[in-house]
Amino acid sequence: VAYISIEVLIALVSVPGNILVIWAVKMNQALRDATFCFIVSLAVADVAVGALVIPLAIIINIGPQTEFYSCLMVACPVLILTESSILALLAIAVDRYLRVKIPVRYKSVVTPRRAAVAIACCWIISFLVGLTPMFGWNNLNKMRRTQELNGSHTEFVIKCQFETVISMEYMVYFNFFVWVLPPLLLMLLIYLEVFNLIRKQLNKKVSSSSTDPQKYYGKELKIAKSLALVLFLFALSWLPLHILNCITLF
């Protein structure tokens, strides 16, 4: 009851909150740049988590009796949307780096078309990574062997739980070691470089030109701090689960 209550509370906060983010970008012309396109992509993933994944997570927690691939279809959306969030955060980090590294050429390099292509690529990769268990990297053969050893010849029905259908080898070696940990480490390095570049620019004397670089980089610093906080909270939320998966496997 406590688990379900917490999940429902998270859904009730995340869905309206992220819808407001999407609405703010839609209504405010000043927010329609590449960074906020990536933030909208992140918000869409988080709306889907609240509206779709959390109800499915509650179902898996209850553990109904179901067919193997039906349970797999319930388990995969969280993998898709988690990966989508990570890649959106990575795209945001790269975008912020380009803003401070090449501020003059930024708009010619990061065009709306290129941002849209990057977002589309993020979602395609997310679906491929998240649906890999559906393509065969799952526990079906292990479950069948267990059933045969038990001498059971009844219809193949299982108690639907995440660990029952999703392979821990997939979760650790492929999902975590390839598609979660490296992007998080890369983002950490990117933000360290972003803060380093901004610090160098802010330490320079203000030029006599009409455009004040300190004002520009001061704004970039505030945005970078906010986005770095989002990254930190994301890592804080997901790394304990992946560490537990490693402990389970090893």
Side-chain angles (χ1 to χ4, degrees):
V1 172
Y3 168 77
I4 292 172
S5 300
I6 292 167
E7 288 280 33
V8 170
L9 181 63
I10 292 169
L12 291 175
V13 172
S14 69
V15 173
N18 283 287
I19 287 174
L20 284 174
V21 170
I22 297 166
W23 184 255
V25 174
K26 178 180 171 59
M27 297 302 292
N28 194 335
Q29 190 71 35
L31 298 180
R32 292 183 193 175
D33 62 6
T35 302
F36 286 96
C37 289
F38 296 127
I39 289 173
V40 165
S41 179
L42 181 62
V44 168
D46 290 341
V47 168
V49 168
L52 175 65
V53 170
I54 285 178
L56 295 178
I58 291 170
I59 291 170
I60 284 183
N61 181 255
I62 295 168
Q65 296 291 320
T66 182
E67 194 267 335
F68 185 89
Y69 275 98
S70 298
C71 183
L72 207 55
M73 287 178 68
V74 173
C76 282
V78 67
L79 300 172
I80 295 168
L81 294 167
T82 305
E83 189 56 39
S84 173
S85 297
I86 291 169
L87 294 178
L89 287 169
L90 180 58
I92 290 167
V94 172
D95 176 71
R96 301 323 297 182
Y97 173 76
L98 293 174
R99 274 185 176 272
V100 298
K101 184 69 175 178
I102 50 168
V104 177
R105 294 191 296 117
Y106 170 79
K107 287 190 177 180
S108 63
V109 172
V110 185
T111 62
R113 179 182 173 83
R114 286 175 180 170
V117 169
I119 290 167
C121 288
C122 289
W123 278 98
I124 291 167
I125 292 169
S126 301
F127 272 93
L128 291 174
V129 172
L131 291 177
T132 296
M134 293 292 293
F135 303 145
W137 197 346
N138 54 51
N139 286 336
L140 181 59
N141 290 333
K142 188 189 293 184
M143 296 290 295
R144 280 179 174 161
R145 284 196 298 270
T146 304
Q147 189 182 37
E148 288 169 4
L149 288 171
N150 293 336
S152 175
H153 301 288
T154 57
E155 186 182 353
F156 191 59
V157 176
I158 60 165
K159 184 179 181 181
C160 184
Q161 291 184 321
F162 189 86
E163 296 86 352
T164 306
V165 293
I166 300 293
S167 163
M168 273 298 122
E169 285 83 3
Y170 160 82
M171 285 302 299
V172 173
Y173 292 125
F174 186 67
N175 190 281
F176 182 49
F177 286 169
V178 177
W179 292 105
V180 174
L181 190 58
L184 288 177
L185 292 174
L186 181 57
M187 281 184 266
L188 176 62
L189 293 174
I190 290 171
Y191 276 113
L192 287 174
E193 181 61 16
V194 166
F195 288 125
N196 184 47
L197 288 169
I198 292 173
R199 182 183 57 79
K200 286 180 179 177
Q201 292 295 332
L202 290 176
N203 286 340
K204 288 181 181 179
K205 290 182 179 180
V206 181
S207 64
S208 58
S209 61
S210 58
T211 56
D212 186 351
Q214 293 228 336
K215 184 178 179 182
Y216 175 83
Y217 286 104
K219 179 185 174 185
E220 288 299 317
L221 180 62
K222 287 180 181 178
I223 295 173
K225 282 180 178 178
S226 298
L227 295 171
L229 177 62
V230 172
L231 172 62
F232 171 75
L233 293 173
F234 184 91
L236 192 68
S237 300
W238 283 103
L239 284 179
L241 176 63
H242 286 286
I243 291 166
L244 284 173
N245 286 340
C246 292
I247 293 168
T248 301
L249 180 64
F250 299 137

